[in-house]
Amino acid sequence: MSNPEKIHQKSLQLLQEQLEDTQIELSVMIKKIADFQIAVPSWALGAGGTRFGRFSIGGEPRNLEEKLDDIGLLARITKRTNAVSLHIPWDIPKDAAAIKQQAKALGISFDAMNSNTFQDYGQPLSYKMGSLSNPDAAIRKQAVDHNLEVIEIGKSLGSKGLTVWLADGSNFPGQANFRNALQWTGDSLKEIYGGMPTDWKLLLEYKPYEPNFYHTVIPDWGTSALLCSQLGDRAKVLVDLGHHLPNTNIEQIVATLMHQNLLAGFHFNDSKYGDDDLSTGSIKPYQLFLIFGELISGARDKVQAWESISWMIDASHNVKDPIEDLIQALEAISICYAKALLVDRNRLMNCQIQGDVAGAQELLQAAFQTDVRALVREARIQSGGEADPLAYYRGEKIRQQLIAKRGVGAKATGL
Ligand code: AFD
Ligand code: MN
Ligand code: MN
């Protein structure tokens, strides 16, 4: 029978030897990995489903308190998350002080708040034809007021950010006026931005299509950056990894945004074809590794501070246990980050200056092919987490416990 602890120590020793002739200290890497925390989306603790149906997982959180309990478990066993990103109105706290207290006891803070102007949930006017870009000024006002309410809720919980993702757009040529929609969106965002406390930031998300299939008002990073530049220096671009047409060079977008100090942060997920919201790193880990390369390089060159970037997962689970999926996503993010830390950026720069293309590729591939799981595990163990969170979660039969407590048909609020 293999001995995981013995293998773990041998892996660490091998990494130590591999790093011998570099300037990289193992202990420094372990601390960076341990310090790198990613916020969990409240909506990812239940089964998401698609427009073709939803299959319950069983034992899903039925309210915000239970969502926080599940995130508290993730925080305790993975030591990779210490924050939640809430979605309003799905997560309106009945008692903000009690929720804040519960979160604090679980070691969880509140990352960016998410507004919702893409569904009708009983508000007087419908968002069917858009929200911040709607031709009807009364609907635009309702959507602006909703965002201002979300800010107020966020203030009561200690959040410092508002993420705005708009489903606004059109399904057919002629349905909307591109320029009016953009203008109305910009005007509405100005009102929202003006309603934010001065220590908050606006994270403006883009997406090329879905739910609208002919045009989306904020389809790409350029439009988001254009709108942010009209708002102020606390409005920046949120990069959702699933929000790009296939084969888009996302690492280049990240570098470009950092270069302008315009990167708000990430919604981590993975995709094969569209906004598939698959587990981060499950399809294109090399892309995620290259994205971290740009982030590390940009921070090192001081084009944008690492601390100014928000790290959040945005995923929706249809076939996996949500907590197992989030364990895997958090692990994949840490692994790609750790691999990217292995690249000697000075040597890479020299290869670029000398036109040594193969040499540059060797540097990247050597780092990407390095098995850093022992480092990520060691960072978790040293932080008091479980050596193998997934094995722990399954060994303790936690999903079965949640089903016994909440019921097999329990459905998370939201989607
Ligand atoms: C959907 C949208 C977008 C948004 C998320 C939460 O595509 O990514 O951030 O829902 O509202 O995934
Ligand atoms: Mn998103
Ligand atoms: Mn999305």
Side-chain angles (χ1 to χ4, degrees), residues 132-161:
L132 298 186
S133 72
N134 195 296
D136 181 342
I139 296 176
R140 296 200 298 272
K141 181 178 182 324
Q142 176 183 279
V144 167
D145 290 348
H146 164 70
N147 278 276
L148 295 175
E149 283 157 29
V150 174
I151 291 168
E152 289 311 307
I153 294 170
K155 281 159 65 175
S156 72
L157 297 170
S159 171
K160 299 286 185 198

Side-chain angles (χ1 to χ4, degrees), residues 43 114 163 165 205 238-240 243 267 269 275 277 314:
W43 58 93
N114 296 269
T163 295
W165 168 67
E205 194 168 355
L238 179 82
V239 177
D240 183 307
H243 288 190
H267 275 178
N269 48 50
D275 187 19
D277 280 346
D314 174 9

Side-chain angles (χ1 to χ4, degrees), residues 135-346:
D136 181 342
I139 296 176
R140 296 200 298 272
K141 181 178 182 324
Q142 176 183 279
V144 167
D145 290 348
H146 164 70
N147 278 276
L148 295 175
E149 283 157 29
V150 174
I151 291 168
E152 289 311 307
I153 294 170
K155 281 159 65 175
S156 72
L157 297 170
S159 171
K160 299 286 185 198
L162 172 70
T163 295
V164 174
W165 168 67
L166 296 180
D168 290 39
S170 60
N171 260 347
F172 300 97
Q175 176 184 337
N177 177 300
F178 296 138
R179 286 181 290 107
N180 286 347
L182 186 58
Q183 184 62 48
W184 290 325
T185 299
D187 296 344
S188 303
L189 286 170
K190 278 194 186 90
E191 290 184 61
I192 295 167
Y193 187 84
M196 274 195 329
T198 52
D199 60 348
W200 274 51
K201 75 179 180 184
L202 177 69
L203 301 89
L204 190 59
E205 194 168 355
Y206 60 87
K207 181 172 179 179
Y209 74 98
E210 192 197 41
N212 278 291
F213 293 108
Y214 171 66
H215 107 280
T216 299
V217 175
I218 309 177
D220 55 33
W221 70 268
T223 308
S224 173
L226 177 77
L227 290 165
C228 288
S229 62
Q230 292 167 359
L231 294 173
D233 62 5
R234 289 179 292 112
K236 298 193 178 190
V237 181
L238 179 82
V239 177
D240 183 307
L241 299 190
H243 288 190
H244 302 85
L245 298 176
N247 303 322
T248 301
N249 187 327
I250 303 177
E251 57 272 26
Q252 180 190 0
I253 293 172
V254 170
T256 304
L257 289 171
M258 274 196 104
H259 194 63
Q260 302 296 331
N261 196 8
L262 267 176
L263 177 64
F266 289 89
H267 275 178
F268 287 117
N269 48 50
D270 212 333
S271 69
K272 183 74 178 173
Y273 300 104
D275 187 19
D276 312 327
D277 280 346
L278 300 176
S279 321
T280 313
S282 63
I283 310 281
K284 293 174 272 195
Y286 192 54
Q287 171 182 270
L288 186 59
F289 161 79
L290 293 172
I291 287 169
F292 274 113
E294 293 307 324
L295 291 162
I296 291 164
S297 165
R300 191 190 74 150
D301 297 346
K302 299 191 183 349
V303 287
Q304 183 169 340
W306 184 269
E307 298 69 27
S308 69
I309 300 167
S310 296
W311 314 102
M312 295 170 277
I313 287 172
D314 174 9
S316 176
H317 316 295
N318 305 316
V319 293
K320 278 204 260 181
D321 175 322
I323 294 179
E324 292 193 348
D325 185 282
L326 288 164
I327 289 171
Q328 292 179 322
L330 291 166
E331 179 80 355
I333 293 167
S334 301
I335 286 173
C336 287
Y337 171 49
K339 286 173 181 270
L341 285 171
L342 293 175
V343 177
D344 182 329
R345 303 284 159 194
N346 291 331

